[in-house]
Amino acid sequence: MPLDWKVEIVECGDLVQDDDEVTPADEAERRWNRYVELADSVTGDEGPAGVAAIVSSLKAEEDYGAYQAAHAALGRFPHSDLGQGVADAAKELLSIPRDGSGNILLILTQAGPVAVDAFNEAIQAADPDVRISIRELVEFHESEEWLSESSARNLLLMPRT
């Protein structure tokens, strides 16, 4: 995998939206196809930085199915890399659309204790303001849809102080 794939997947992840009247349709299609191709090429050996790049790429409100490839790619990472990578992308997690962040946090909790523990440990090193914002994001998703099931609640950022 070329070293610049992380940069490219983040760039391509900013998918052209239906209301974009500037970008030609063939360019929008090329970007969508390239994004899926990059996500499909992920092996899981790219380490936490690969996870962080994928999380950072989830910028578009409407992904037209492209992000399914990214979610599948996250499933190919060792659980410790998944947890570390999501924590490393904490700032980006706060800036992507809410459905995107909820989905990532659900994938993280469903990956199990190794991923959750790696995230919880790594997030402690984050900037305190980012950590507070991540806690608020987790609490939002626990009160709404993504993390509202009992199996996904009270796993992330525990203990909460």
Side-chain angles (χ1 to χ4, degrees), residues 89-153:
K91 283 184 183 170
E92 292 77 7
L93 194 63
L94 295 168
S95 67
I96 65 176
R98 282 272 169 114
D99 273 349
S101 65
N103 206 339
I104 293 301
L105 293 171
L106 183 62
I107 288 168
L108 179 63
T109 61
Q110 290 177 338
V114 171
V116 168
D117 291 348
F119 172 82
N120 285 339
E121 187 175 315
I123 201 72
Q124 295 306 316
D127 176 270
D129 290 340
V130 171
R131 210 168 42 245
I132 289 167
S133 295
I134 289 290
R135 180 172 32 254
E136 291 169 353
L137 183 67
V138 166
E139 289 171 352
F140 169 80
H141 286 304
E142 286 179 344
S143 71
E144 297 294 324
E145 161 185 10
W146 288 104
L147 301 176
S148 62
E149 295 293 319
S150 60
S151 62
R153 294 180 64 117

Side-chain angles (χ1 to χ4, degrees), residues 22-144:
V22 178
T23 309
D26 60 336
E27 171 60 16
E29 184 177 351
R30 183 202 67 76
R31 211 180 301 169
W32 189 95
N33 288 331
R34 182 62 179 151
Y35 182 85
V36 172
E37 180 184 350
L38 288 165
D40 284 347
S41 69
V42 169
T43 63
D45 295 330
E46 295 83 1
V51 172
I54 292 169
V55 171
S56 301
S57 76
L58 304 172
K59 300 177 191 177
E61 199 66 50
E62 270 305 319
D63 65 289
Y64 312 104
Y67 291 169
Q68 289 176 347
H71 298 149
L74 291 173
R76 294 191 285 276
F77 284 88
H79 292 170
S80 58
D81 287 354
L82 176 64
Q84 175 77 49
V86 172
D88 290 350
K91 283 184 183 170
E92 292 77 7
L93 194 63
L94 295 168
S95 67
I96 65 176
R98 282 272 169 114
D99 273 349
S101 65
N103 206 339
I104 293 301
L105 293 171
L106 183 62
I107 288 168
L108 179 63
T109 61
Q110 290 177 338
V114 171
V116 168
D117 291 348
F119 172 82
N120 285 339
E121 187 175 315
I123 201 72
Q124 295 306 316
D127 176 270
D129 290 340
V130 171
R131 210 168 42 245
I132 289 167
S133 295
I134 289 290
R135 180 172 32 254
E136 291 169 353
L137 183 67
V138 166
E139 289 171 352
F140 169 80
H141 286 304
E142 286 179 344
S143 71
E144 297 294 324

